[in-house]
Amino acid sequence: MSRVLERRIEYLRLMRQATLERGSFTVVDIAEATDTPRSTVQDWVNRLIEEGCVVLTEEQRGRHAARYAASSVIPESACRRVFTTVDGDEVEIYHECMSGGCAAFCEFHHTRAGGALQSVRRDGTLLRERAVIGRREVAVGLDPAPAVGIVGVSHDGGYIRQQIRCIGGPAYSLTDMMSLAEGVCDVTVRREGQVVEGEVVTRALAYVAIGIDDTDTETEGATFALALALLQHLAKLDGVMPIGHRVAMLNPRLEARTAGNSCSYIEIAVEPDVVPQIEEAAVRFVADEAASPEWGIAVRQGFRVPGGLRAYGRSARESFLTREAAEATAERFGAHLHGGRGVIGALAAVALIGLPHDVLLDPGRDVCTGWEPAG
């Protein structure tokens, strides 16, 4: 988190606390509480007034200082995490809310707005959006217009900048809540009447999918449980944001299966320079925890799935594949394989990322490449 954002959060917290306890505050109150020059605090007060977070309640009169109040004394944010991954000229935006209702609201209005977004989907309280770098205008307003939309996304060095336009409740979220979310580096806003347009800055993280298979035996272990444990383990490491865990069904007629022939994959967002270390940590964890010596994992960076890789996933649900086929496919599409026979299913799991749950769990459902480029 940037120092500027830390100071903003600190000032707002103190201003809200003073407003709640005493009804208002002065510049001197905040300067003394933070051991900061009055001129610096006054600059912050002026900025927060422009953003609509603070209001002037009493003008300065002679020796009586001006008094201010926070426009809201609600300290909590409905936004838990906001972070982003980048793959070529596309960005995935992840916004985890405290409320399923808030997530559904954003899903509905972001879909209606379109703008820079290609797709919007929600899994519980986690909103996942795919955007193309660039700017596409959105007119926000009252129904039937969208209340909020992402009008632009840019990749600036190691950061992703989202331009968000909104009114009403979403504007409050942008000005008072999103800066408190884990993963947000900075938020700047400007008002034009009732419309607020702001920029939310997050790190440009790498998307990493890790497929896992054959970690159990007929009497011990379960691949889905080990995959979930791996996600929890990696989430504790520096530079990692957990995204989620999925289960996928492969060919149910495979004789070597332990049960229904399911595999798992986990998704994480990683600081680009630590991806190799995270891969090593994943291999060590699975090797130590797997009940079967045939365990296998596949690691691939990037959320876009080429058509040729998706075809491998389809084949793993319809036919019998060899390790040689897995190794050739992995080399072609930049995946890294580790372990024994399980690498066949682990790579299939990576090949199936991005599909909805009902498709992942039904091997009879066709796997469609959709928007993905041929390869």
Side-chain angles (χ1 to χ4, degrees):
M1 183 181 294
S2 70
R3 181 60 180 163
V4 172
L5 187 55
E6 288 177 352
R7 297 296 285 177
R8 183 181 189 277
I9 292 172
E10 180 184 9
Y11 285 132
L12 271 177
R13 179 182 61 79
L14 290 171
M15 292 171 185
R16 286 168 173 163
Q17 182 178 348
T19 302
L20 185 62
E21 294 175 353
R22 302 188 296 274
S24 63
F25 63 87
T26 68
V27 167
V28 173
D29 294 334
I30 305 302
E32 291 178 349
T34 58
D35 193 23
T36 305
R38 297 180 188 180
S39 59
T40 301
V41 175
Q42 186 66 65
D43 289 342
W44 272 102
V45 168
N46 295 340
R47 173 178 174 176
L48 293 171
I49 287 175
E50 291 179 2
E51 294 180 5
C53 302
V54 170
V55 295
L56 175 66
T57 61
E58 189 176 329
E59 297 275 1
Q60 179 179 359
R61 299 193 310 276
R63 299 176 61 182
H64 294 280
R67 304 198 69 85
Y68 306 91
S71 60
S72 171
V73 294
I74 303 174
E76 296 85 7
S77 171
C79 309
R80 289 187 186 274
R81 300 187 299 157
V82 179
F83 58 103
T84 48
T85 61
V86 62
D87 188 357
D89 64 347
E90 296 185 12
V91 172
E92 273 210 336
I93 302 164
Y94 312 86
H95 190 155
E96 184 180 17
C97 295
M98 293 181 64
S99 160
C102 292
F105 180 94
C106 289
E107 177 190 27
F108 177 83
H109 285 273
H110 283 195
T111 301
R112 175 178 280 186
L117 298 179
Q118 282 185 309
S119 65
V120 180
R121 54 194 173 104
R122 179 173 58 90
D123 189 358
T125 58
L126 179 65
L127 192 65
R128 297 181 63 160
E129 302 174 318
R130 187 76 61 87
V132 176
I133 291 174
R135 186 176 177 92
R136 293 165 180 80
E137 293 301 320
V138 172
V140 300
L142 301 178
D143 189 75
V148 57
I150 296 179
V151 298
V153 176
S154 61
H155 186 186
D156 180 12
Y159 296 90
I160 297 297
R161 299 177 182 274
Q162 300 178 55
Q163 289 81 46
I164 302 175
R165 184 175 295 158
C166 48
I167 64 168
Y172 172 76
S173 175
L174 180 61
T175 58
D176 285 54
M177 290 188 170
M178 290 188 74
S179 64
L180 303 176
E182 182 183 3
V184 173
C185 302
D186 194 16
V187 175
T188 57
V189 298
R190 61 182 178 85
R191 290 180 177 271
E192 294 182 2
Q194 292 184 319
V195 175
V196 173
E197 182 164 329
E199 182 174 80
V200 178
V201 182
T202 51
R203 291 285 295 152
L205 302 176
Y207 171 97
V208 177
I210 303 177
I212 307 163
D213 199 17
D214 281 357
T215 67
D216 56 349
T217 68
E218 293 182 356
T219 59
E220 184 181 5
T223 293
F224 82 87
L226 194 150
L228 186 56
L230 175 62
L231 179 63
Q232 294 171 336
H233 171 67
L234 297 180
K236 298 175 184 177
L237 303 182
D238 292 339
V240 176
M241 278 280 196
I243 300 173
H245 164 248
R246 298 288 185 271
V247 176
M249 300 301 297
L250 302 180
N251 187 346
R253 299 178 300 279
L254 191 66
E255 293 183 3
R257 71 183 188 279
T258 53
N261 198 21
S262 66
C263 58
S264 284
Y265 68 84
I266 63 171
E267 302 169 283
I268 54 177
V270 182
E271 288 285 353
D273 59 348
V274 300
V275 171
Q277 295 94 305
I278 298 304
E279 181 172 345
E280 292 173 5
V283 173
R284 287 196 303 269
F285 184 90
V286 175
D288 289 344
E289 298 294 332
S292 167
E294 294 294 340
W295 64 268
I297 72 172
V299 182
R300 184 174 185 269
Q301 187 172 326
F303 50 73
R304 296 194 290 187
V305 182
L309 180 58
R310 189 71 96 197
Y312 175 90
R314 180 190 295 113
S315 296
R317 291 156 68 98
E318 299 173 349
S319 59
F320 305 92
L321 298 178
T322 64
R323 181 175 184 128
E324 290 72 24
E327 290 174 345
T329 302
E331 182 177 2
R332 182 182 176 192
F333 296 109
H336 300 159
L337 305 182
H338 305 272
R341 183 187 61 210
V343 298
I344 300 171
L347 182 61
V350 168
L352 298 172
I353 64 170
L355 297 175
H357 289 291
D358 56 347
V359 176
L360 289 173
L361 296 173
D362 184 354
R365 293 283 297 274
D366 184 35
V367 176
C368 178
T369 57
W371 57 269
E372 298 140 350

